[in-house]
Amino acid sequence: QVQLVESGGGLVQPGGSLRLSCEASGSVVGIDAVGWYRQAPGKQRELVAIIRSDGSTKYADAVKGRFTISRDNAKNTGYLQMNSLKPEDTAVYYCNADVFDYNDPWADNYWGQGTQVTVSS
């Protein structure tokens, strides 16, 4: 059984920073691509950033230069460092990852439970 466990959300003032974490737990052998998505009230879920196993990254235009995605393969964990936060960054942030487990040679795709990020003064 594999789970993605997210942490690090909360309330922050405009211009502040938060760091989100996403740990793959359970019978995990390793993780491939890790992505962060967000969904604001009344809007569709959108890609924020993604990092592949080779370390290559892709960002949404709205967060380029402010957010940094990273990973720690030894800990099966992905991170999203968010700086210079704006009220429009307010959303539920979801982690998504392709995870290899001991029972299957093919990676399966998983979603985290979501963590609320609120940017407000």
Side-chain angles (χ1 to χ4, degrees):
Q1 187 80 11
V2 171
Q3 287 185 318
L4 296 183
V5 180
E6 301 176 24
S7 60
L11 172 64
V12 64
Q13 291 187 341
S17 298
L18 283 174
R19 188 193 195 204
L20 306 182
S21 298
C22 171
E23 179 182 5
S25 64
S27 56
V28 179
V29 174
I31 54 175
D32 198 348
V34 179
W36 288 95
Y37 294 75
R38 66 186 181 186
Q39 188 166 18
K43 294 187 177 181
Q44 289 189 333
R45 190 174 298 188
E46 62 178 3
L47 174 68
V48 176
I50 190 166
I51 183 168
R52 299 199 295 194
S53 57
D54 63 2
S56 58
T57 58
K58 177 182 178 180
Y59 295 91
D61 288 342
V63 306
K64 283 180 181 176
R66 300 188 298 121
F67 290 11
T68 302
I69 190 170
S70 62
R71 59 191 293 153
D72 185 332
N73 292 331
K75 296 182 179 179
N76 293 320
T77 300
Y79 304 96
L80 185 68
Q81 177 66 44
M82 304 185 293
N83 299 330
S84 302
L85 282 161
K86 304 175 181 180
E88 51 263 44
D89 294 318
T90 296
V92 178
Y93 283 70
Y94 296 91
C95 172
N96 178 270
D98 294 323
V99 182
F100 293 95
D101 66 44
Y102 288 101
N103 302 313
D104 190 342
W106 298 96
D108 290 316
N109 187 260
Y110 294 88
W111 287 93
Q113 79 281 6
T115 185
Q116 178 70 46
V117 171
T118 302
V119 185
S120 176
S121 55

